[in-house]
Amino acid sequence: MEDLFNYIGNNMEMIYFLVLAILLGVEVISNVPAILHTPLMSGANAIHGVVVVGAIIVMLQASPDNYLALSVGFLAVIVGTLNVIGGFVVTDRMLEMFKKKPKKS
Amino acid sequence: MSLSILEISYLVASLTFIVGLKMLSHPDSARKGNLIAAAGMLIAIVATLTLFQDFDEDKMLNYSLIFGGLIIGTLIGTVMAKKVQMTAMPQMVSFFNGMGGACAALIAIIEYQHHQHTTVTGFDGELMVMLLGLLIGSVSFSGSMIAYGKLEGKIKDKVLPMNQAINMVLLGAIVVLIIYQLFGESTPLQFYILLGLALVYGILFVMPIGGADMPVVISLLNSFTGMAAAFGGFLYDNKAMLTGGILVGSAGTILTILMCNAMNRSLTNVLLGAFGGAAGGPSKSQSGDQTVREISLSDTAVLLSYSQNVVIVPGYGLAVAQAQHTCHELEKLLEEKGVEVNYAIHPVAGRMPGHMNVLLAEADVPYEKLQEMEEINPKLANADVVVVIGANDVVNPAAKNDPSSPIYGMPILEVDQAKNIIILKRGMSAGYAGIENELFFYPKTRMLFGDAKDSLQKLTQEVKEV
């Protein structure tokens, strides 16, 4: 137990960060109209694709002869990129349709 | 110096995520918000590639693999995202979400290999972050894949006997395994058993949940992946991953709750599958021998042409039949004849909240014709004809008058107030919630059976001839 508290104590800055970011996330989104739920979910989906940065760091830290790490990391970079690129492109396609209307009508 | 620039880049990226998400929640700025977040993502990736330094060896191979991965991912992602039909949007989001979860789990696996060489006695915080990243990432991956398969129609709804009990046992085993590894010793075997259990749990978690609740599940899994990304951020002390991950984790949770509210369901209710798989028994007010009245195409055409005020209620049936363009045709034609046409959009019409707006927008239906539920409900009594296209549960009066109905209390479009109701439907099958709709048996209701697109095309033709 003592170690657990020490761990928390040593990472207090991070924990503040965590709590504030959670509240920020709630605040940012709470007034969204229902019509935007789908694009918003899709956009948020693209944002958590930032996990690909972690995959890149893994690859940069792996030693060049650690083939297991390299191949798993390679896969991680691919799927992470899929998440980012796919997410943003799909969201843009959805929102593009919202935008087209005012001109036409 | 370069490390400071890296940190500053992460700060900029974090800010773009926050601003982007904020802008995404307003219709006018949504598209720009998405682009801003994407620009921030690009900054974070490029900065990591160029400024993250760990040069003790020659890393040419690593760099070529990274670039290879980035290029492959970009190509596949772009092609998939560009090619997908608007109706298949929910499962596409689910698929990409699963990829993010897989990425987080893979990172945890590699980091665990490194971690093996360090020995920590007692509580091991770093290991905790890894295990949680692995757990949540894997659940999100396998769960999203099942959700994807279900929406694609490749996986049927299936409920194992005692599914809830099995899930509880699995979850218990997972918790015990994590605690054991944290406070005792962690062996690779335990680690991989945890991975296996997490994958199975993800499958069993989504499996019994019915199609109507799938958007809620996707949204929930979306916030899971956000958390998994945040654990990765903890591991590397990486602020961009932390902000992006936590922001999506908390915003996604709120979004999930908002969606539940729109359907008047509680989250626990959705997750325990109260009406997901095992729907509540048939509604009590139904007796088997009620009959429905059909209407012919030409009668419908006449009725519509001589109305003053028509309201169209589009549902998922319209989306699967790809009939949104034909529907817009009909609406334009009626408008030319001086009929006022509006669309009544239920918050959960389609497969996800807002999905129907996207589909109709694709067909160039003017924005102001789409009226939300609160807006249109008081006006429905004045409507001469309500045309319900492939919608069912969202117009079921049982939600208002039958307390025994599983959807009792869900806000609905009160189409039963209108003077005439025409329902376009393929057959008499029940809606997604699996319950009868007494609206179909009302004296002022007429049914027009057939594929939505086909019926609408013929109807448009008939209206032209009136």
Side-chain angles (χ1 to χ4, degrees), chain A residues 82 85-86 89 93, chain B residues 72-84 92 96:
Chain A
L82 258 174
I85 302 289
V89 174
R93 269 191 66 194
Chain B
I72 295 173
T74 306
L75 287 180
I76 303 178
T78 313
V79 170
M80 287 181 84
K82 288 261 180 207
K83 277 187 122 174
V84 63
M92 196 78 264
F96 290 136

Side-chain angles (χ1 to χ4, degrees), chain B residues 108-430:
Chain B
I109 291 175
I110 304 174
E111 282 305 318
Y112 184 75
Q113 308 280 352
H114 292 308
H115 191 73
Q116 283 275 285
H117 307 297
T118 54
T119 41
V120 184
T121 46
F123 178 79
D124 184 346
E126 199 164 297
L127 182 66
M128 176 182 77
V129 175
M130 270 176 224
L131 294 181
L132 290 177
L134 177 84
L135 169 69
I136 300 179
S138 317
V139 169
S140 176
F141 168 68
S142 62
S144 297
M145 288 302 120
I146 296 294
Y148 169 77
K150 278 192 158 197
L151 288 175
E152 279 284 276
K154 285 179 184 150
I155 299 172
K156 296 269 170 292
D157 291 1
K158 222 178 241 155
V159 187
L160 289 177
M162 315 266 291
N163 201 320
Q164 288 316 328
I166 295 175
N167 282 5
M168 286 299 160
V169 171
L170 258 178
L171 197 59
I174 288 170
V175 171
V176 169
L177 200 55
I178 288 181
I179 293 177
Y180 185 81
Q181 291 192 63
L182 285 183
F183 291 94
E185 204 157 336
S186 170
T187 63
L189 181 67
Q190 292 166 1
F191 185 82
Y192 288 110
I193 292 178
L194 179 66
L195 172 64
L197 288 181
L199 289 173
V200 174
Y201 183 73
I203 296 172
L204 293 182
F205 172 69
V206 178
M207 214 52 200
I209 298 174
D213 289 332
M214 220 29 100
V216 178
V217 178
I218 296 177
S219 176
L220 188 68
L221 292 172
N222 192 26
S223 67
F224 278 8
T225 311
M227 285 182 231
F231 285 122
F234 246 100
L235 208 54
Y236 299 118
D237 200 358
N238 183 311
K239 302 285 195 304
M241 285 172 77
L242 266 174
T243 333
I246 301 171
L247 212 56
V248 175
S250 69
T253 310
I254 295 299
L255 190 58
T256 312
I257 294 170
L258 287 178
M259 286 186 187
C260 284
N261 288 347
M263 295 190 283
N264 197 37
R265 309 270 316 273
S266 73
L267 190 56
T268 32
N269 197 334
V270 169
L271 295 185
L272 294 179
F275 85 39
S283 171
K284 63 170 184 197
S285 59
Q286 303 306 326
S287 55
D289 52 353
Q290 282 175 302
T291 50
V292 296
R293 291 160 206 79
E294 287 195 51
I295 187 170
S296 70
L297 281 165
S298 49
D299 287 348
T300 314
V302 172
L303 185 60
L304 288 175
S305 305
Y306 291 102
S307 300
Q308 283 181 336
N309 191 339
V310 172
V311 175
I312 298 177
V313 178
Y316 188 67
L318 176 108
V320 275
Q322 295 277 318
Q324 62 270 38
H325 294 276
T326 329
C327 185
H328 180 51
E329 285 290 302
L330 179 67
E331 165 229 311
K332 274 194 297 190
L333 203 60
L334 289 172
E335 289 264 304
E336 277 164 28
K337 288 179 182 278
V339 185
E340 193 192 333
V341 186
N342 281 302
Y343 291 84
I345 312 287
H346 190 272
V348 293
R351 278 287 163 83
M352 292 207 270
H355 190 199
M356 194 51 68
N357 301 68
V358 175
L359 290 174
L360 290 172
E362 187 197 14
D364 286 332
V365 174
Y367 192 69
E368 54 285 359
K369 287 208 165 296
L370 307 182
Q371 308 215 346
E372 297 204 28
M373 185 172 63
E374 298 82 20
E375 207 180 333
I376 194 115
N377 262 347
K379 300 185 202 160
L380 279 171
N382 293 325
D384 296 309
V385 187
V386 168
V387 186
V388 179
I389 308 172
N392 190 344
D393 297 329
V394 297
V395 294
N396 193 339
K400 269 191 314 182
N401 3 332
D402 180 4
S404 74
S405 169
I407 59 166
Y408 182 69
M410 178 174 97
I412 55 159
L413 291 164
E414 291 164 3
V415 298
D416 50 331
Q417 306 291 320
K419 291 173 195 130
N420 292 286
I421 306 157
I422 295 176
I423 295 177
L424 269 68
K425 212 173 173 315
R426 256 183 312 199
M428 278 309 290
S429 59

